[in-house]
Amino acid sequence: MTVHLVGAGPGDPELLTLKAARLIGRADVVVYDRLVGAEILDMIAPWAERIDVGKDPYGRSVPQVEINQILIEQGSRHSSVVRLKGGDPYVFGRGGEEAIALAASGIDVDVVSGITSAIAGPAAAGIPVTHRGTSSGFTVVTGFQNPDNPQRLDWDAVAKLGTTLVILMGASRAQTIRDALLDGGAPSTTPVAVVHRATTSQQEVSRLTLAELGETPVANPSIIVVGPAAALDLARISTTATEVPPFEATQGVIPWLS
Ligand SMILES: C[S@@+](CC[C@H](N)C(=O)[O-])C[C@H]1O[C@@H](n2cnc3c(N)ncnc32)[C@H](O)[C@@H]1O
Protein backbone atom coordinates (compact mmCIF):
# COMPACT_ATOMS: atom_id res chain seq x y z
CA MET A 1 0.00 0.00 0.00
CA THR A 2 2.02 2.89 -1.33
CA VAL A 3 0.96 6.07 -3.01
CA HIS A 4 3.71 7.38 -5.27
CA LEU A 5 3.59 11.16 -5.70
CA VAL A 6 5.11 11.33 -9.16
CA GLY A 7 6.29 14.37 -11.11
CA ALA A 8 5.39 14.12 -14.80
CA GLY A 9 7.77 16.89 -15.89
CA PRO A 10 6.91 19.99 -17.89
CA GLY A 11 5.15 18.37 -20.87
CA ASP A 12 7.64 16.70 -23.22
CA PRO A 13 7.24 12.96 -22.41
CA GLU A 14 11.00 12.49 -22.85
CA LEU A 15 11.49 14.69 -19.82
CA LEU A 16 9.80 12.09 -17.65
CA THR A 17 12.20 10.27 -15.30
CA LEU A 18 12.79 6.54 -15.83
CA LYS A 19 11.38 5.90 -12.36
CA ALA A 20 8.20 7.82 -13.18
CA ALA A 21 7.76 5.91 -16.45
CA ARG A 22 8.23 2.55 -14.68
CA LEU A 23 5.73 3.40 -11.92
CA ILE A 24 3.13 4.78 -14.35
CA GLY A 25 3.32 1.60 -16.44
CA ARG A 26 2.82 -0.68 -13.42
CA ALA A 27 0.33 1.23 -11.24
CA ASP A 28 -3.09 -0.24 -10.37
CA VAL A 29 -4.56 3.26 -10.26
CA VAL A 30 -3.35 6.61 -11.63
CA VAL A 31 -4.81 9.82 -10.25
CA TYR A 32 -3.77 12.65 -12.55
CA ASP A 33 -3.87 16.42 -13.06
CA ARG A 34 -4.76 18.74 -15.93
CA LEU A 35 -1.18 19.51 -16.95
CA VAL A 36 -0.26 15.89 -17.63
CA GLY A 37 -0.12 15.34 -21.41
CA ALA A 38 -1.83 12.61 -23.45
CA GLU A 39 1.47 10.90 -24.43
CA ILE A 40 2.27 10.35 -20.76
CA LEU A 41 -1.26 9.16 -19.97
CA ASP A 42 -0.85 6.64 -22.82
CA MET A 43 1.81 4.92 -20.68
CA ILE A 44 -0.80 3.90 -18.09
CA ALA A 45 -1.43 0.14 -18.26
CA PRO A 46 -4.68 -0.71 -20.08
CA TRP A 47 -6.00 -2.55 -17.02
CA ALA A 48 -5.29 0.30 -14.59
CA GLU A 49 -7.99 2.63 -13.29
CA ARG A 50 -7.61 6.30 -14.31
CA ILE A 51 -8.98 9.07 -12.13
CA ASP A 52 -8.93 12.64 -13.52
CA VAL A 53 -8.82 15.25 -10.77
CA GLY A 54 -7.60 18.02 -13.09
CA LYS A 55 -8.17 21.51 -11.83
CA ASP A 56 -9.15 23.71 -14.74
CA PRO A 57 -8.71 27.38 -13.80
CA TYR A 58 -11.77 28.29 -15.88
CA GLY A 59 -14.03 25.39 -15.06
CA ARG A 60 -14.47 22.40 -12.89
CA SER A 61 -12.25 22.05 -9.88
CA VAL A 62 -11.92 19.06 -7.56
CA PRO A 63 -11.33 20.44 -4.04
CA GLN A 64 -8.02 19.41 -2.47
CA VAL A 65 -9.76 17.70 0.49
CA GLU A 66 -11.63 15.52 -2.00
CA ILE A 67 -8.40 14.63 -3.83
CA ASN A 68 -6.80 13.71 -0.48
CA GLN A 69 -9.79 11.48 0.27
CA ILE A 70 -9.57 9.77 -3.15
CA LEU A 71 -5.87 9.08 -2.56
CA ILE A 72 -6.52 7.67 0.92
CA GLU A 73 -9.31 5.39 -0.39
CA GLN A 74 -7.29 4.17 -3.38
CA GLY A 75 -4.14 3.81 -1.29
CA SER A 76 -5.94 1.59 1.22
CA ARG A 77 -7.27 -0.71 -1.51
CA HIS A 78 -4.37 -1.06 -3.96
CA SER A 79 -0.71 -1.94 -3.64
CA SER A 80 0.51 0.71 -6.09
CA VAL A 81 -1.21 4.04 -6.70
CA VAL A 82 0.42 6.78 -8.73
CA ARG A 83 -0.56 10.37 -8.05
CA LEU A 84 0.67 12.05 -11.22
CA LYS A 85 1.32 15.79 -11.26
CA GLY A 86 2.76 18.21 -13.79
CA GLY A 87 6.38 19.24 -13.20
CA ASP A 88 7.56 18.43 -9.70
CA PRO A 89 5.06 17.35 -7.00
CA TYR A 90 6.61 19.69 -4.42
CA VAL A 91 6.77 22.84 -6.58
CA PHE A 92 3.34 24.46 -6.31
CA GLY A 93 1.86 21.01 -6.69
CA ARG A 94 0.26 20.62 -3.24
CA GLY A 95 2.19 17.36 -2.96
CA GLY A 96 3.13 18.23 0.62
CA GLU A 97 -0.51 18.40 1.69
CA GLU A 98 -1.24 15.06 0.03
CA ALA A 99 1.81 13.43 1.65
CA ILE A 100 0.69 14.66 5.10
CA ALA A 101 -2.91 13.44 4.60
CA LEU A 102 -1.72 10.00 3.42
CA ALA A 103 0.81 9.57 6.22
CA ALA A 104 -1.86 10.54 8.76
CA SER A 105 -3.99 7.67 7.42
CA GLY A 106 -1.14 5.19 7.74
CA ILE A 107 -0.44 4.94 4.00
CA ASP A 108 3.15 4.87 2.77
CA VAL A 109 4.15 7.76 0.55
CA ASP A 110 6.98 7.77 -1.97
CA VAL A 111 7.94 11.01 -3.72
CA VAL A 112 9.36 10.84 -7.22
CA SER A 113 10.74 14.24 -8.20
CA GLY A 114 9.93 15.57 -11.65
CA ILE A 115 11.57 18.20 -13.81
CA THR A 116 9.86 21.42 -12.86
CA SER A 117 8.56 23.85 -15.46
CA ALA A 118 10.21 26.58 -13.36
CA ILE A 119 13.59 25.53 -14.80
CA ALA A 120 12.67 23.54 -17.92
CA GLY A 121 10.27 26.27 -19.14
CA PRO A 122 12.91 29.00 -19.36
CA ALA A 123 15.47 26.47 -20.68
CA ALA A 124 13.15 25.47 -23.53
CA ALA A 125 13.11 29.13 -24.56
CA GLY A 126 16.91 29.30 -24.47
CA ILE A 127 17.06 30.97 -21.05
CA PRO A 128 19.42 29.56 -18.42
CA VAL A 129 18.02 30.60 -15.02
CA THR A 130 21.58 31.25 -13.83
CA HIS A 131 24.33 32.49 -16.14
CA ARG A 132 27.78 33.71 -15.21
CA GLY A 133 27.89 37.48 -15.37
CA THR A 134 24.12 37.76 -15.92
CA SER A 135 22.33 36.07 -13.05
CA SER A 136 23.79 34.61 -9.88
CA GLY A 137 20.59 32.96 -8.72
CA PHE A 138 16.93 32.43 -9.42
CA THR A 139 13.76 32.88 -7.41
CA VAL A 140 10.56 30.96 -8.08
CA VAL A 141 7.31 32.52 -6.90
CA THR A 142 3.61 32.10 -7.50
CA GLY A 143 1.78 34.88 -9.30
CA PHE A 144 -1.47 33.88 -7.63
CA GLN A 145 -1.88 33.63 -3.90
CA ASN A 146 -4.99 32.60 -2.04
CA PRO A 147 -6.17 35.84 -0.33
CA ASP A 148 -6.65 33.82 2.90
CA ASN A 149 -2.98 32.77 2.93
CA PRO A 150 -1.33 34.71 5.78
CA GLN A 151 2.13 34.30 4.16
CA ARG A 152 1.91 37.20 1.71
CA LEU A 153 4.70 37.60 -0.83
CA ASP A 154 6.66 40.81 -0.34
CA TRP A 155 6.81 42.03 -3.97
CA ASP A 156 8.95 45.04 -2.96
CA ALA A 157 11.59 42.61 -1.70
CA VAL A 158 11.18 40.35 -4.75
CA ALA A 159 11.71 43.36 -7.07
CA LYS A 160 15.05 44.10 -5.40
CA LEU A 161 16.53 40.56 -5.36
CA GLY A 162 18.47 40.95 -8.61
CA THR A 163 18.16 37.25 -9.43
CA THR A 164 16.22 35.73 -12.33
CA LEU A 165 12.57 35.79 -11.28
CA VAL A 166 10.47 32.83 -12.44
CA ILE A 167 6.74 33.31 -11.91
CA LEU A 168 4.31 30.39 -12.09
CA MET A 169 0.52 30.76 -12.17
CA GLY A 170 0.87 34.43 -13.13
CA ALA A 171 -0.96 34.47 -16.48
CA SER A 172 -4.19 36.02 -15.25
CA ARG A 173 -2.39 38.52 -13.01
CA ALA A 174 0.34 39.73 -15.36
CA GLN A 175 -0.56 43.43 -15.04
CA THR A 176 -0.76 43.30 -11.25
CA ILE A 177 2.62 41.55 -11.11
CA ARG A 178 4.14 44.15 -13.45
CA ASP A 179 2.80 47.01 -11.30
CA ALA A 180 4.04 45.38 -8.10
CA LEU A 181 7.55 44.91 -9.53
CA LEU A 182 7.67 48.47 -10.93
CA ASP A 183 6.44 49.87 -7.59
CA GLY A 184 9.18 47.83 -5.90
CA GLY A 185 11.83 49.59 -8.00
CA ALA A 186 12.44 47.17 -10.90
CA PRO A 187 13.38 49.15 -14.06
CA SER A 188 10.64 49.31 -16.69
CA THR A 189 13.17 48.11 -19.30
CA THR A 190 13.86 44.84 -17.44
CA PRO A 191 13.71 41.97 -19.99
CA VAL A 192 10.74 39.60 -19.69
CA ALA A 193 10.03 36.31 -21.46
CA VAL A 194 6.70 34.51 -21.42
CA VAL A 195 6.89 30.80 -22.23
CA HIS A 196 3.54 29.20 -23.01
CA ARG A 197 3.17 25.39 -23.00
CA ALA A 198 6.91 24.99 -22.63
CA THR A 199 8.58 21.83 -24.01
CA THR A 200 5.44 20.81 -25.94
CA SER A 201 4.70 21.08 -29.66
CA GLN A 202 2.50 24.10 -28.83
CA GLN A 203 5.29 26.06 -27.16
CA GLU A 204 5.24 29.82 -27.80
CA VAL A 205 7.75 32.35 -26.51
CA SER A 206 7.20 36.11 -26.28
CA ARG A 207 9.97 38.57 -25.43
CA LEU A 208 9.06 41.96 -24.01
CA THR A 209 9.98 44.47 -21.34
CA LEU A 210 8.53 44.69 -17.86
CA ALA A 211 6.58 47.83 -18.88
CA GLU A 212 4.87 45.78 -21.62
CA LEU A 213 3.93 42.80 -19.43
CA GLY A 214 0.15 42.36 -19.31
CA GLU A 215 -0.54 44.81 -22.14
CA THR A 216 -1.71 41.80 -24.16
CA PRO A 217 -3.30 38.73 -22.52
CA VAL A 218 -0.93 36.04 -21.24
CA ALA A 219 -2.22 32.56 -22.12
CA ASN A 220 -2.45 29.86 -19.47
CA PRO A 221 -0.27 27.88 -18.67
CA SER A 222 2.75 30.14 -18.97
CA ILE A 223 6.00 30.78 -17.17
CA ILE A 224 6.92 34.45 -16.80
CA VAL A 225 10.68 35.06 -16.58
CA VAL A 226 11.88 38.48 -15.43
CA GLY A 227 15.47 39.75 -15.34
CA PRO A 228 18.52 40.12 -17.62
CA ALA A 229 18.66 36.36 -18.28
CA ALA A 230 15.22 36.63 -19.93
CA ALA A 231 16.90 38.46 -22.83
CA LEU A 232 19.11 35.44 -23.59
CA ASP A 233 18.17 33.04 -26.36
CA LEU A 234 20.56 30.11 -26.29
CA ALA A 235 18.00 27.76 -27.90
CA ARG A 236 19.65 28.20 -31.29
CA ILE A 237 22.97 26.99 -29.90
CA SER A 238 21.38 23.65 -28.97
CA THR A 239 20.86 22.78 -32.66
CA THR A 240 24.39 21.32 -32.55
CA ALA A 241 23.39 18.89 -29.78
CA THR A 242 23.30 15.15 -30.47
CA GLU A 243 19.95 14.21 -31.92
CA VAL A 244 17.63 12.57 -29.42
CA PRO A 245 16.09 9.29 -30.62
CA PRO A 246 12.35 9.36 -31.27
CA PHE A 247 10.14 8.90 -28.24
CA GLU A 248 8.95 5.43 -29.38
CA ALA A 249 12.55 4.18 -29.18
CA THR A 250 12.62 4.81 -25.44
CA GLN A 251 9.45 2.93 -24.62
CA GLY A 252 11.27 -0.26 -23.59
CA VAL A 253 11.13 1.04 -20.02
CA ILE A 254 7.38 0.46 -19.98
CA PRO A 255 6.94 -3.33 -19.58
CA TRP A 256 3.53 -3.63 -21.25
CA LEU A 257 4.63 -1.58 -24.27
CA SER A 258 7.80 -3.55 -25.00
C1 LIG B 1 -0.05 24.43 -10.18
S1 LIG B 1 1.45 24.95 -10.91
C2 LIG B 1 2.27 23.40 -11.02
C3 LIG B 1 3.75 23.54 -11.23
C4 LIG B 1 4.43 22.19 -11.41
N1 LIG B 1 4.33 21.40 -10.19
C5 LIG B 1 5.90 22.32 -11.82
O1 LIG B 1 6.79 21.96 -11.04
O2 LIG B 1 6.14 22.72 -12.96
C6 LIG B 1 0.91 25.27 -12.55
C7 LIG B 1 1.72 26.37 -13.23
O3 LIG B 1 2.96 25.85 -13.67
C8 LIG B 1 3.35 26.49 -14.86
N2 LIG B 1 3.52 25.46 -15.90
C9 LIG B 1 3.50 24.15 -15.73
N3 LIG B 1 3.80 23.49 -16.88
C10 LIG B 1 4.01 24.46 -17.79
C11 LIG B 1 4.38 24.44 -19.17
N4 LIG B 1 4.60 23.28 -19.85
N5 LIG B 1 4.55 25.60 -19.80
C12 LIG B 1 4.36 26.77 -19.16
N6 LIG B 1 4.01 26.85 -17.87
C13 LIG B 1 3.84 25.72 -17.18
C14 LIG B 1 2.28 27.51 -15.20
O4 LIG B 1 2.68 28.75 -14.65
C15 LIG B 1 1.09 26.94 -14.47
O5 LIG B 1 0.15 27.95 -14.18
Side-chain angles (χ1 to χ4, degrees):
M1 296 206 310
T2 302
V3 174
H4 305 273
L5 299 180
V6 177
D12 178 352
E14 288 195 321
L15 293 177
L16 200 63
T17 64
L18 289 174
K19 188 168 186 181
R22 180 171 56 78
L23 288 168
I24 293 167
R26 292 180 184 174
D28 306 311
V29 182
V30 178
V31 182
Y32 62 94
D33 273 350
R34 178 180 64 97
L35 286 176
V36 179
E39 282 163 306
I40 290 174
L41 296 179
D42 283 349
M43 296 180 184
I44 299 172
W47 57 83
E49 186 181 346
R50 297 160 171 241
I51 304 177
D52 177 1
V53 293
K55 291 183 202 166
D56 184 332
Y58 306 111
R60 172 184 83 99
S61 169
V62 180
Q64 188 62 47
V65 280
E66 218 174 284
I67 297 176
N68 294 355
Q69 201 48 44
I70 291 170
L71 293 176
I72 291 165
E73 279 167 20
Q74 297 298 330
S76 355
R77 271 193 239 145
H78 300 280
S79 63
S80 178
V81 175
V82 163
R83 168 67 173 117
L84 194 54
K85 293 168 169 291
D88 183 273
Y90 281 176
V91 178
F92 298 124
R94 305 193 72 169
E97 290 159 71
E98 294 174 5
I100 290 168
L102 286 160
S105 299
I107 295 164
D108 290 339
V109 184
D110 165 42
V111 180
V112 180
S113 301
I115 296 181
T116 178
S117 63
I119 297 173
I127 301 167
V129 287
T130 69
H131 191 63
R132 187 174 280 252
T134 305
S135 166
S136 55
F138 63 101
T139 308
V140 181
V141 298
T142 174
F144 179 80
Q145 272 195 301
N146 184 331
D148 300 332
N149 186 342
Q151 265 198 325
R152 307 299 301 159
L153 259 181
D154 180 348
W155 284 94
D156 276 1
V158 171
K160 291 176 180 62
L161 281 170
T163 58
T164 303
L165 179 60
V166 181
I167 304 165
L168 272 63
M169 294 177 283
S172 62
R173 296 190 74 247
Q175 274 187 355
T176 312
I177 291 165
R178 173 197 66 192
D179 294 345
L181 291 173
L182 291 175
D183 289 350
S188 59
T189 52
T190 306
V192 171
V194 175
V195 193
H196 175 58
R197 295 202 181 278
T199 80
T200 73
S201 54
Q202 295 121 50
Q203 173 172 308
E204 282 174 24
V205 182
S206 322
R207 311 262 176 182
L208 48 155
T209 63
L210 184 56
E212 292 164 337
L213 179 62
E215 289 304 303
T216 51
V218 176
N220 195 29
S222 286
I223 299 286
I224 302 172
V225 192
V226 183
L232 298 174
D233 182 1
L234 309 185
R236 285 173 217 152
I237 292 173
S238 69
T239 52
T240 56
T242 314
E243 202 179 315
V244 176
F247 177 59
E248 289 72 24
T250 66
Q251 289 188 345
V253 292
I254 318 287
W256 63 270
L257 280 178
S258 49

